[in-house]
Amino acid sequence: MRKFFLLLLLYLVQQVHAQEISVVSVKQLPKSSIGKSYHPKFSPNGEYLLLTSDNYSGLKKFDLKNEQVSIITEAPNAGYNVQISADGNNIIYREQSFNKLIMYDLLFQKATASIVIGREQELSCHGYTFIE
């Protein structure tokens, strides 16, 4: 009887947390402008994609409306665990080593903060927490 209730509870939890995704349209990105890009991340407002290389080097912004590509950085590791603020105006990415984070303002197109964190510390910014 106990197993039955556990299985029922597990089933109900899965049903509550299940999300339905509907595909509105499918569009191939132009290879000529973005080159080989991997690990895409959509902005919260759906206006752009952040792209990086297969080994997370560099970071590009691809504007989905006008299909323009902006190179944010070519730093190694920049595409690893990149975060976008809730309003989509700032991103936080790593630079060179895994303990240096850069905040980049997409409106002004420049880095606005550079933060070095020690081991086993955490940094919170725009509601995102980075743990080293």
Side-chain angles (χ1 to χ4, degrees):
M1 189 68 159
R2 185 180 273 180
K3 286 182 182 180
F4 173 74
F5 283 118
L6 264 161
L7 289 173
L8 180 64
L9 180 64
L10 182 63
Y11 174 76
L12 291 174
V13 167
Q14 285 179 334
Q15 294 302 315
V16 169
H17 291 291
Q19 296 179 7
E20 187 174 316
I21 298 174
S22 59
V23 177
V24 178
S25 67
V26 177
K27 183 176 181 182
Q28 186 171 354
L29 299 179
K31 292 180 183 177
S32 60
S33 61
I34 62 170
K36 286 189 177 183
S37 297
Y38 300 88
H39 315 291
K41 187 161 193 170
F42 280 95
S43 65
N45 55 14
E47 293 180 359
Y48 62 88
L49 277 173
L50 291 180
L51 304 162
T52 187
S53 68
D54 60 344
N55 64 355
Y56 298 103
S57 291
L59 196 58
K60 300 175 198 172
K61 175 189 164 200
F62 179 75
D63 190 313
L64 294 168
K65 288 182 182 176
N66 60 21
E67 298 187 359
Q68 296 283 337
V69 176
S70 306
I71 296 175
I72 294 171
T73 184
E74 294 180 1
N77 304 320
Y80 181 78
N81 196 24
V82 64
Q83 299 294 320
I84 305 171
S85 64
D87 62 5
N89 292 331
N90 293 287
I91 60 170
I92 297 177
Y93 63 89
R94 299 172 189 274
E95 188 173 88
Q96 295 283 20
S97 64
F98 282 93
N99 64 343
K100 183 177 182 184
L101 298 174
I102 306 294
M103 182 184 294
Y104 187 88
D105 188 312
L106 292 171
L107 295 175
F108 294 104
Q109 298 183 351
K110 66 177 184 174
T112 56
S114 174
I115 304 155
V116 178
I117 58 176
R119 293 194 132 208
E120 297 179 10
Q121 291 180 347
E122 58 180 57
L123 167 74
S124 292
C125 184
H126 293 290
Y128 294 99
T129 302
F130 299 85
I131 299 174
E132 288 297 315

